[in-house]
Amino acid sequence: MNIKEQLLDLKPYQPGKPIEEVKREYGLEKIVKLASNENPYGCSDNAKEAVKNSLDSFAIYPDGYATELREKLAKHLDVEGTQLLFGNGSDDVIHIIAAALLAPGKNTVMAHPSFSQYKHNAIIEGAEVREVELIDGHHDLDGMLAQIDENTEIVWVCSPNNPTGVYVNSEKLHAFLKQVPSHVLVIMDEAYYEFAVDEQDYPDTVSLLNDYPNLLILRTFSKAYGLGGLRVGYAIGNRDFINKIEPVRQPFNSNRVGQLAAAAALDDQDFITAYVEKNKKGLQQFYTFCKENNLAYYPSFGNFILINFEQPGDDVFHYLLERGFIVRSGNALGFPTSVRITVGTEEQNSELIALLTEMLKNQKN
């Protein structure tokens, strides 16, 4: 069998260790997972009730067009239903877009470090990847513009960026979009939108769609909505473009339970508001810890924080793992001396910070 040459050195996505595996390996009773930017408070009761009410429908294929969710989300966003594309999480939508646009001889531009799946899917399609280094955690938009040529198909902008947590403000985005050639698709990946939207200079990207037909927005129900296990992500964009790439989407790529839960969760915006406020307080716990210990960090507008411990991130990761906390080493994220920590509950944050404080104290002695 002749597998694509570009796949031979490509590694599959490596998720964090499952909780049960960590329990067995280290003989622990309690594990706190703060590695994948999941909602530590779970999801809305509305979503739970919708799932309970769906128990008798598992034998039936889902609505391939996600009609109920599409209509409700379109109203929530004030867009047309035909402007939406649904996927099995945002990862699936990224795969759909890459498969539709990228090929050998084409290229795609992205920041580095940023979300790994942009590059991963481009490599699968045989396209050239052009990475532009971040500047103080921010996208170097001028540097990205300089990489665009007649063969560029997609420019990826992750805002807030994973793993640094910073966003592209409205002024910079407007200036950037005005200079991007019309044949290039600009994707604003707003997986952490809910955590940044209240910032005065965070761009209202949906309102820009009429001015920029080459703009596409990605969002998800996996983060703030707490539905990561049900895998519902979506794109918002130009109706004609969405219609053209729809054939790439697999039939029934968003499951029935996920559609129902996401539609129900939309009705409970109080849950989102409350979580965002708790997340802000949690970030302050980490900011205080960093300042007290002279540790560098990026002020985050996601539900995570990247902290530079000035030592191998893998070492900090293993130290915490042995004590029942799963975080994400920055080694795999392009920040080898850092650790990315999901903001947990107040109690979880306090316990983790106490462990880190003890670790740093012991290292000084």
Side-chain angles (χ1 to χ4, degrees):
M1 291 181 286
N2 294 316
I3 297 174
K4 289 180 178 180
E5 184 178 348
Q6 62 265 31
L7 297 183
L8 299 180
D9 294 323
L10 194 63
K11 291 180 172 55
Y13 179 78
Q14 297 294 323
K17 285 190 174 185
I19 289 176
E20 292 305 318
E21 181 181 337
V22 176
K23 283 183 177 181
R24 288 193 302 269
E25 185 173 347
Y26 294 97
L28 298 169
E29 292 295 325
K30 176 186 175 183
I31 299 293
V32 178
K33 185 186 176 192
L34 299 176
S36 301
N37 306 338
E38 296 149 331
N39 188 330
Y41 302 97
C43 65
S44 165
D45 287 340
N46 288 22
K48 294 176 185 177
E49 191 64 27
V51 172
K52 290 177 183 177
N53 293 336
S54 72
L55 295 178
D56 294 330
S57 66
F58 291 171
I60 303 171
Y61 282 109
D63 174 5
Y65 195 62
T67 304
E68 180 184 353
L69 175 58
R70 183 180 299 272
E71 292 176 352
K72 184 169 285 189
L73 183 59
K75 183 177 180 180
H76 177 73
L77 298 170
D78 193 23
V79 299
E80 299 296 324
T82 50
Q83 291 181 259
L84 299 173
L85 174 73
F86 290 97
N88 184 39
S90 292
D91 294 337
D92 184 36
V93 180
I94 291 169
H95 173 75
I96 291 170
I97 297 165
L101 274 69
L102 298 179
K106 301 296 183 180
N107 70 71
T108 178
V109 178
M110 63 197 69
H112 180 267
S114 193
F115 187 46
S116 62
Q117 293 304 292
Y118 313 147
K119 180 177 181 178
H120 185 90
N121 281 279
I123 292 173
I124 291 173
E125 301 304 328
E128 178 191 353
V129 176
R130 297 182 176 181
E131 295 180 294
V132 178
E133 294 297 317
L134 299 174
I135 298 177
D136 294 329
H138 292 264
H139 283 61
D140 176 7
L141 296 180
D142 289 337
M144 294 172 73
L145 281 169
Q147 291 296 318
I148 296 173
D149 62 21
E150 66 277 6
N151 294 317
T152 304
E153 290 292 334
I154 306 172
V155 174
W156 303 88
V157 180
C158 188
S159 180
N161 185 47
N162 178 11
T164 57
V166 301
Y167 64 86
V168 176
N169 68 34
S170 184
E171 181 181 356
K172 290 181 178 178
L173 179 62
H174 278 267
F176 179 70
L177 290 173
K178 289 177 181 177
Q179 298 178 76
V180 176
S182 60
H183 76 273
V184 177
L185 179 68
V186 177
I187 298 181
M188 292 294 296
D189 186 347
E190 298 182 340
Y192 300 94
Y193 164 83
E194 288 81 7
F195 303 102
V197 65
D198 289 337
E199 299 300 313
Q200 287 188 346
D201 60 348
Y202 188 79
D204 178 9
T205 47
V206 172
S207 70
L208 298 176
L209 291 171
N210 288 333
D211 295 328
Y212 300 99
N214 61 329
L215 176 63
L216 190 74
I217 304 159
L218 302 186
R219 292 184 188 168
T220 183
F221 285 93
S222 294
K223 305 304 181 184
Y225 285 90
L227 298 176
L230 297 180
R231 313 305 297 127
V232 183
Y234 59 97
I236 319 159
N238 176 277
R239 176 178 57 194
D240 292 338
F241 175 75
I242 294 290
N243 186 55
K244 287 176 181 175
I245 66 171
E246 266 280 359
V248 183
R249 182 178 63 82
Q250 294 291 318
F252 314 119
N253 68 327
S254 60
N255 68 80
R256 175 182 296 275
V257 178
Q259 290 178 23
L260 292 171
L266 276 174
D267 291 331
D268 192 0
Q269 290 302 308
D270 288 343
F271 174 84
I272 301 299
T273 300
Y275 172 36
V276 169
E277 287 304 310
K278 291 174 185 175
N279 183 72
K280 287 180 180 178
K281 292 178 180 177
L283 282 169
Q284 288 299 327
Q285 289 179 267
F286 285 104
Y287 295 162
T288 299
F289 161 73
C290 289
K291 291 171 183 174
E292 288 175 348
N293 291 277
N294 296 314
L295 297 173
Y297 67 94
Y298 295 106
S300 176
F301 298 90
N303 62 342
F304 57 88
I305 183 169
L306 185 72
I307 302 175
N308 186 359
F309 287 90
E310 297 184 354
Q311 58 184 291
D314 286 353
D315 291 352
V316 180
F317 165 79
H318 286 293
Y319 176 89
L320 293 173
L321 189 66
E322 292 169 357
R323 291 157 179 79
F325 280 82
I326 308 174
V327 296
R328 189 75 188 271
S329 169
N331 192 40
L333 304 174
F335 291 89
T337 61
S338 297
V339 169
R340 192 191 69 191
I341 302 170
T342 302
V343 177
T345 65
E346 181 179 1
E347 180 182 2
Q348 290 170 344
N349 299 335
S350 296
E351 291 177 3
L352 178 59
I353 288 170
L355 287 173
L356 290 170
T357 302
E358 179 184 22
M359 178 192 76
L360 294 173
K361 181 180 178 181
N362 290 338
Q363 291 173 348
K364 290 179 181 178
N365 296 335

